[in-house]
């Protein structure tokens, strides 16, 4: 039996239900975390209680003889370091970047969970609990590689849950999914920034160079892999290239600029 808090965000409740069905577990909804803790033989929390966005466990709630375990991050970032964390979301990309000054960027995408019904995406279900476990409740920026379903799926939920200050886009056709994404960004008062090759800017102590799409890139009616937003992040003498889903034509375009890198996220999901 798994106790899930009724006050948890909808995406987390859906994730608990999905995992419960797969593992044959009974999901019991409770309104007060204390009731769940007092009734449990095993209590595991990763910083905040599982399926609840705020830390709410108090030692007096745990019955004698109950196994209790907690894993805490001292901080979601290490000052002076550039962190690149790749999350497993199946078909798609999900990369968390934490800058030396603690600014956070997520390059997003995530497909359906094991081919299950549309509307329950791995990117939506797996990523938020991971970020919440590190006390990340807001992002500075979200970058969407391009407009295919495996890079735009679940992104609306990310905007609602983490209210990024900026949404970074490249060159994209105005599909219904893209229009819905822009509407959600407007509702959340998120600044939408379009980038193209040659753009350079600072992001929390890291130099960001946009490698693609080309500034004169022409979109078509349907999204393509070569529409991808590709970035090079540099900290001192160390560089990382995140190539989106770029195919041969755009890979050659980027290679012509000789973008040296210590770490390459190979195009099209590595």
């Amino acid at each position: 039996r798994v106790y899930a808090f009724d006050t948890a965000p909808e995406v987390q409740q859906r994730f608990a239900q999905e995992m419960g069905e797969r593992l044959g577990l009974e999901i019991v909804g409770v309104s007060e975390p204390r009731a769940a803790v007092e009734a449990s033989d095993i209590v595991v929390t990763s910083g905040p209680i599982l399926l609840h966005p705020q830390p709410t466990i108090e030692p007096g709630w745990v019955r004698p003889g109950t196994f209790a375990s907690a894993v805490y991050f001292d901080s979601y970032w290490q000052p002076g370091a550039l962190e690149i964390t790749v999350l497993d979301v199946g078909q798609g990309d999900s990369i968390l970047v934490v800058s030396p000054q603690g600014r956070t960027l997520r390059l997003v995408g995530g497909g359906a969970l094991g081919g299950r019904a549309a509307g329950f995406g791995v990117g939506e279900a797996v990523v938020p609990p991971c970020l919440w476990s590190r006390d990340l409740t807001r992002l500075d920026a979200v970058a969407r590689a391009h407009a295919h379903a495996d890079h735009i799926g679940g992104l609306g939920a990310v905007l609602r849950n983490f209210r990024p200050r900026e949404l970074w886009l490249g060159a994209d056709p105005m599909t219904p999914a893209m229009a819905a994404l822009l509407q959600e960004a407007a509702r959340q008062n998120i600044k939408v920034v379009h980038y193209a090759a040659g753009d350079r800017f600072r992001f929390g102590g890291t130099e960001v160079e946009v490698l693609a799409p080309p500034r004169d890139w022409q979109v078509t009616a349907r999204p393509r892999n070569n529409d991808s937003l590709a970035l090079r992040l540099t900290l001192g003498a160390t560089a990382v290239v995140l190539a989106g889903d770029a195919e041969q034509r755009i890979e050659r375009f980027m290679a012509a600029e000789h973008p040296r890198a210590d770490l390459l996220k190979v195009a099209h999901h590595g």
Side-chain angles (χ1 to χ4, degrees), residues 19 21 133 227 232 254 259:
M19 292 300 99
E21 291 175 1
S133 77
D227 296 336
R232 180 174 183 259
M254 291 189 290

Side-chain angles (χ1 to χ4, degrees), residues 199-219:
D199 289 336
R200 294 175 180 264
F201 55 95
R202 300 282 294 177
F203 181 77
T206 301
E207 182 74 23
V208 180
E209 176 186 0
V210 181
L211 301 178
R215 194 163 295 277
D216 59 353
W217 184 249
Q218 298 297 312
V219 299

Side-chain angles (χ1 to χ4, degrees), residues 91-110:
Q91 174 71 16
D93 286 342
S94 184
I95 301 172
L96 174 66
V97 176
V98 184
S99 82
Q101 297 175 4
R103 298 193 68 188
T104 50
L105 162 68
R106 185 181 162 227
L107 286 87
V108 298

Side-chain angles (χ1 to χ4, degrees), residues 83-89 92-98 104-109 127 131 139 141-143 151 233 240-244 263-266 269-270:
E83 174 193 340
I84 308 292
T85 298
V86 179
L87 306 179
D88 183 0
V89 293
D93 286 342
S94 184
I95 301 172
L96 174 66
V97 176
V98 184
T104 50
L105 162 68
R106 185 181 162 227
L107 286 87
V108 298
V127 176
L131 299 185
L139 297 169
V142 167
H151 287 266
L233 311 178
V240 178
V241 169
L242 306 172
L263 172 65
L264 169 66
K265 198 292 292 187
V266 176
H269 313 164

